[in-house]
Amino acid sequence: MEFDTVIMSRLITAMTLGFHIIFATLGVGVPLFISIAEFIGIKKRDDHYILLAKRWARGFVITVAIGVVTGTAIGLQLSLVWPNFMQLAGNVIALPLFMEVFAFFFEAIFLGIYLYTWNRFKNPYIHWLFSIPVLIGAGISALFITTVNSFMNTPDGFMMENGEFAAVNPIAAMLNPSTPTRVAHVLGGSYVTVAAILATIAAFALLRKKGAQQYHKKALKLTVISMFVFSIVTAVAGDASAKFLAEHQPEKLAAAEWHFETEKNADLILFGWLNEDNEVVGEIRLPGFLSFLAHGNFMAEVTGLEATPENERPPLWIHYMFDLMVSIGMFLVGISFIYLLFSIIKKWNANNKLFLWLMVLSGPLAMLAVEFGWIYAEEGRQPWILRGYMTVQEAATSSPYITHMFFLFLLLYIVLGTLCVITLRKLFKDNPAELELEKNTPVFEEGVDK
Amino acid sequence: MSYELIGISVLWLFLYGYLIVASIDFGAGFFAYYAKVTKRDHIINQIISRYLSPVWEVTNVFLVFFFVGIVGFFPKSAYYFGSALLVPASFAIILLAIRGSFYAFENYGSKQNNVYMFLYGATGLLIPASLSTALTISEGGFITEANGVVSLNYLELFTSPLSWSIVGLAITALLFISASFLTYYASRAKDIDALNLVRKWALFWATPTIIMALTTMIALSQRNERHFDNMLDLWWVFGLSIAFFAIGMGLLYIGKYYGVAFIAIMLQFFFAFFGYGVAKYPYLLDPYVSVHDSVTSDAMAIALIIAFIGGLLLLVPSLILLMRLFLFNADYAKGKK
């Protein structure tokens, strides 16, 4: 019975977070693009960009609502599902959790102001200014919550006394070893994912060859440039993360790379699978590249999984998660780079059909990469909830009702997800961009957007 | 003042903040649906949606703030409340999720969907009922701890006069607070029809609120004598509460100074809520968690208090800006902006 509640506790948390991060990622990224679009629109006096900002903002409200309610859910579930964990770690993670709520509060206030003051001010820059606290609040709350998760991976900033944390240094706990690389990877990843999703929308509209082509082309160009920039940032942060893991969490990297024996000049294993004897089959082997990935030196020694006691090893299937995440990341870098190359060289057509289809794919793929990367990061620290201090088994609730709650929440997320898609479709299908452009041509020369 | 006392005071203040803003919000949802059923929605729905649209998200944050703060300051409460409240709190989460997201679906997506309106109104009354379970069990006697397993005694909870009194008080009070706020808001918007309607509701809900408050006192005296006696010692605080209630009701009745009336009603609940809280001291959960079981290190307590102050310096001006732009902006309330 006890074992069951642990499994259910893990499942319920995985489900809530898996659902929440879709909307959390959008919540972090979309405000940035709304703000950029509105700024360009005001500066260039281009109605297309203003409309982009408006339409993105309108869709954003729907996703933000789900982000808020699922965020509230996971916030409460931390105590409901993992009461022992919160009792122990609450002493240390209280500060970043709390500051995260402040950032969220700040964002919520200004989002309300931003959404309801489109036509209020004579100077259009005043309205644009209200988007800044929204995007800052969104980014900062991602930062703080990532420090909490980083703490769970590499706990720091306290002493252990009689089974309790003592001499806590809240700042050191927040700025634990894995914080910098993870924050960079999470923020970069969110921005690239949202850029890809917005590019998907624009590319899909262009493929349908109806309506305001110019409008969608501008949207595509803006988002693909951003996609390129942020995918590079994310890849660099990802590389730094790998080097970090090699040093501080070698078992996570070793499990992801199926690197069993500690050795110098270690090979990087791409794809493949494990046979019954746990031998790697069908892989692509890049000699020495794991050493290079982990330490920036082909001859460096990489710690293998054998160095970790058997009952403290993460599951080996995280290799697939890692590979999928990295492959999608590479795809995003590549496709955005080629697109930009084509659009710089004028005689080549960047908006050809093949590219547009690839762009349509890139949004959903990027979101999948977020999920894969997150699963990899979380499963990679199994069996620990606080690496080295508390296992998930010790942390979970003992309430037998957890199973019922799992199905209740499953039902909730199915309903929310379905209604979200229906509402968004309805919102945009009944009111395409070209229609809006026709019926309300904003008069920007007079400084009033009516 | 010790750190834990500062902590619990600020948190109590935020819970009070949630009580007010959430009451307005939950009540408004209920009234919007009720008006629709009784075919009076054309009178007040515009007032309600103009107030709610920019602030619904902020309301939710008050709650998150409170529960993150309380487990931050008093991690032991996470263990007891978390273990015991899995079911009621999960229901509250689900109701909050339905309410919040359906509000967005309704207002920004498909307009005027009856099902959404119903769920929006109904969840507004069910959420306080499920959240108030936390207040009920904090009085003690509802949870047991054996072999390291904390469990909630549901039979005891569902047959307790105290838990039903608290639920009743929560619902009547929220309708009363909400109606008096809407009265004030309608008067700002100079919307006479809406004003007459919601004023009537405010006057109506005052009576059951007071009855439920008395019932709760009686039930509490049976459940937790210590708490009740402490409240009697603080009789003057509750006296102030009743005085402000009288002022608020008087102003609503004569139909003048609705702003002052609403402030009086806010003060009424402020004194009642703080009197209740102070009398509870030092227990958060009788007898398992007391205020003295706070964070183990001073460094964290100081950091949290600094974060409080820093956060408030950021929040208060932002909230004032929000209110100036929407709540206290007569043109916006009238629907001109």
Side-chain angles (χ1 to χ4, degrees):
Chain A
M1 197 60 209
E2 200 181 331
F3 183 64
D4 273 346
T5 60
V6 174
I7 293 275
M8 291 318 285
S9 300
R10 290 181 61 192
L11 282 177
I12 200 169
T13 307
M15 178 175 67
T16 301
L17 269 175
F19 190 68
H20 175 65
I21 55 174
I22 297 173
F23 299 95
T25 304
L26 293 172
V28 171
V30 178
L32 177 72
F33 293 96
I34 295 175
S35 183
I36 293 175
E38 192 187 1
F39 182 76
I40 297 176
I42 298 171
K43 197 156 174 83
K44 287 189 174 173
R45 292 169 178 256
D46 186 332
D47 299 341
H48 282 146
Y49 286 101
I50 300 283
L51 186 65
L52 261 184
K54 279 192 175 175
R55 286 173 70 89
W56 284 343
R58 223 177 287 150
F60 180 60
V61 184
I62 308 283
T63 60
V64 131
I66 302 183
V68 169
V69 297
T70 52
T72 308
I74 192 68
L76 267 164
Q77 278 182 356
L78 266 183
S79 302
L80 296 174
V81 180
W82 308 99
N84 302 304
F85 164 71
M86 283 307 281
Q87 186 179 15
L88 176 70
N91 289 318
V92 191
I93 59 174
L95 184 69
L97 276 180
F98 209 67
M99 287 164 70
E100 199 263 0
V101 182
F102 267 120
F104 171 40
F105 215 145
F106 189 60
E107 182 195 346
I109 291 173
F110 282 94
L111 182 65
I113 295 178
Y114 182 80
L115 290 174
Y116 286 87
T117 54
W118 273 101
N119 306 317
R120 269 245 201 141
F121 308 103
K122 283 229 155 69
N123 181 347
Y125 282 108
I126 294 181
H127 179 259
W128 171 74
L129 276 177
F130 285 125
S131 69
I132 304 288
V134 178
L135 79 92
I136 291 178
I140 291 187
S141 55
L143 184 150
F144 284 128
I145 210 67
T146 308
T147 69
V148 174
N149 189 268
S150 301
F151 175 81
M152 293 161 81
N153 278 276
T154 49
D156 198 6
F158 60 87
M159 309 260 275
M160 201 70 177
E161 268 172 30
N162 313 322
E164 271 189 41
F165 290 153
V168 175
N169 179 344
I171 306 295
M174 259 166 69
L175 300 178
N176 62 75
S178 61
T179 293
T181 46
R182 295 173 120 249
V183 167
H185 197 59
V186 164
L187 281 179
S190 299
Y191 292 134
V192 71
T193 303
V194 171
I197 284 180
L198 298 174
T200 294
I201 297 172
F204 190 69
L206 283 173
L207 275 171
R208 292 176 65 213
K209 287 204 185 301
K210 280 201 299 195
Q213 296 283 305
Q214 277 308 357
Y215 165 86
H216 295 302
K217 274 183 190 161
K218 284 174 187 167
L220 190 63
K221 191 160 183 185
L222 171 64
T223 50
V224 177
I225 293 174
S226 316
M227 201 165 123
F228 178 68
V229 174
F230 288 118
S231 60
I232 298 281
V233 172
T234 311
V236 171
D239 180 63
S241 297
K243 291 186 171 40
F244 165 85
L245 286 180
E247 198 169 327
H248 294 269
Q249 266 181 303
E251 76 279 6
K252 194 190 247 186
L253 187 69
E257 291 298 342
W258 288 344
H259 181 62
F260 301 107
E261 283 160 35
T262 303
E263 61 182 2
K264 290 181 176 167
N265 189 21
D267 298 349
L268 185 71
I269 293 176
L270 293 178
F271 307 106
W273 62 90
L274 291 175
N275 65 13
E276 289 110 37
D277 308 321
N278 257 3
E279 283 160 358
V280 184
V281 196
E283 82 278 19
I284 303 169
R285 207 171 261 275
L286 299 179
F289 266 86
L290 183 59
S291 295
F292 187 72
L293 180 73
H295 300 286
N297 172 357
F298 283 100
M299 292 317 292
E301 185 177 87
V302 182
T303 314
L305 202 55
E306 58 172 21
T308 310
E310 208 155 332
N311 58 353
E312 291 178 16
R313 288 180 196 167
L316 288 174
W317 57 262
I318 61 173
H319 172 73
Y320 305 114
M321 297 292 122
F322 185 75
D323 272 5
L324 285 168
M325 170 185 77
V326 174
S327 314
I328 294 174
M330 291 299 146
F331 167 77
L332 295 176
V333 175
I335 175 77
S336 54
F337 175 72
I338 299 174
Y339 178 91
L340 292 182
L341 200 70
F342 267 57
S343 54
I344 289 166
I345 300 169
K346 289 275 186 263
K347 61 183 171 187
W348 292 345
N349 177 17
N351 292 317
N352 69 53
K353 235 180 168 169
L354 174 70
F355 274 8
L356 290 178
W357 275 116
L358 289 174
M359 288 299 167
V360 169
L361 278 181
S362 63
L365 281 176
M367 194 53 96
L368 279 176
V370 169
E371 296 279 355
F372 293 146
W374 170 70
I375 295 172
Y376 161 60
E378 295 300 287
E379 279 293 327
R381 73 179 147 99
Q382 290 306 310
W384 302 108
I385 191 164
L386 268 177
R387 185 177 175 272
Y389 292 94
M390 188 184 233
T391 61
V392 291
Q393 187 117 21
E394 298 162 333
T397 181
S398 47
S399 169
Y401 296 110
I402 190 81
T403 313
H404 303 81
M405 295 303 115
F406 174 82
F407 288 104
L408 208 58
F409 277 100
L410 178 64
L411 187 70
L412 173 74
Y413 300 142
I414 292 173
V415 172
L416 287 187
T418 316
L419 283 174
C420 174
V421 173
I422 293 175
T423 313
L424 282 176
R425 259 182 68 96
K426 216 168 160 187
L427 195 61
F428 292 106
K429 220 182 150 194
D430 300 350
N431 190 16
E434 54 276 14
L435 203 77
E436 264 191 272
L437 277 171
E438 258 171 49
K439 72 178 173 203
N440 68 340
T441 330
V443 192
F444 244 65
E445 291 69 29
E446 294 163 21
V448 188
D449 173 18
K450 280 242 166 84
Chain B
M1 210 175 180
S2 58
Y3 297 133
E4 61 260 28
L5 213 53
I6 297 177
I8 192 66
S9 307
V10 179
L11 288 171
W12 206 244
L13 199 66
F14 265 88
L15 192 59
Y16 167 75
Y18 182 66
L19 188 117
I20 297 292
V21 292
S23 291
I24 295 174
D25 184 273
F26 293 155
F30 173 78
F31 288 132
Y33 182 70
Y34 177 71
K36 197 176 173 86
V37 171
T38 54
K39 305 241 183 304
R40 282 178 288 189
D41 44 331
H42 57 283
I43 306 177
I44 60 156
N45 273 11
Q46 208 214 349
I47 286 277
I48 289 178
S49 88
R50 285 194 79 76
Y51 162 72
L52 285 182
S53 298
V55 301
W56 65 270
E57 211 192 343
V58 177
T59 307
N60 205 42
V61 193
F62 273 92
L63 175 67
V64 180
F65 202 101
F66 176 75
F67 71 67
V68 168
I70 199 151
V71 298
F73 254 99
F74 308 98
K76 213 175 157 191
S77 66
Y79 174 68
Y80 283 98
F81 280 110
S83 301
L85 289 176
L86 176 68
V87 176
S90 292
F91 273 107
I93 297 171
I94 286 171
L95 293 167
L96 279 168
I98 291 175
R99 189 183 161 79
S101 44
F102 283 26
Y103 180 75
F105 295 155
E106 147 95 16
N107 271 274
Y108 305 99
S110 62
K111 292 273 176 208
Q112 298 303 319
N113 182 321
N114 267 325
V115 180
Y116 290 177
M117 284 285 283
F118 169 75
L119 285 170
Y120 192 63
T123 49
L125 299 187
L126 292 172
I127 292 167
S130 56
L131 285 179
S132 61
T133 313
L135 276 185
T136 309
I137 72 158
S138 74
E139 295 300 338
F142 293 101
I143 66 174
T144 48
E145 188 179 21
N147 308 325
V149 177
V150 176
S151 44
L152 180 60
N153 187 341
Y154 286 95
L155 185 69
E156 177 84 17
L157 183 71
F158 285 117
T159 54
S160 151
L162 179 66
S163 65
W164 291 108
S165 306
I166 289 182
V167 167
L169 179 60
I171 291 174
T172 50
L174 86 86
L175 291 172
F176 176 52
I177 293 172
S178 184
S180 26
F181 173 79
L182 289 173
T183 309
Y184 162 65
Y185 197 64
S187 79
R188 289 286 309 188
K190 297 206 165 44
D191 185 338
I192 304 299
D193 292 341
L195 176 67
N196 288 334
L197 188 61
V198 288
R199 176 172 160 261
K200 234 185 288 168
W201 289 342
L203 290 170
F204 173 81
W205 283 106
T207 318
T209 304
I210 292 302
I211 294 173
M212 286 322 295
L214 289 175
T215 318
T216 306
M217 284 291 270
I218 296 165
L220 186 66
S221 72
Q222 291 163 354
R223 165 63 61 177
N224 188 335
E225 221 170 294
R226 188 195 62 84
H227 191 177
F228 181 72
D229 289 344
N230 285 346
M231 279 170 83
L232 289 187
D233 289 344
L234 289 167
W235 60 270
W236 58 275
V237 177
F238 296 95
L240 275 173
S241 173
I242 293 172
F244 279 112
F245 171 69
I247 295 172
M249 283 308 289
L251 290 174
L252 279 177
Y253 189 74
I254 61 171
K256 275 183 188 159
Y257 310 116
Y258 292 114
V260 182
F262 182 67
I263 289 171
I265 288 162
M266 273 172 57
L267 288 171
Q268 172 205 338
F269 282 95
F270 180 85
F271 284 110
F273 192 66
F274 272 77
Y276 169 85
V278 173
K280 212 171 161 53
Y281 182 83
Y283 290 107
L284 295 177
L285 173 58
D286 211 338
Y288 297 105
V289 190
S290 92
V291 169
H292 307 299
D293 300 314
S294 67
V295 279
T296 42
S297 72
D298 284 355
M300 180 51 93
I302 294 168
L304 280 174
I305 290 168
I306 292 173
F308 263 142
I309 296 168
L312 287 177
L313 287 178
L314 195 71
L315 283 186
V316 171
S318 316
L319 277 172
I320 291 174
L321 180 66
L322 184 76
M323 289 197 271
R324 285 183 59 125
L325 283 170
F326 300 108
L327 232 55
F328 301 122
N329 187 309
D331 280 345
Y332 175 80
K334 282 178 202 163
K336 286 187 185 154
K337 273 186 179 169

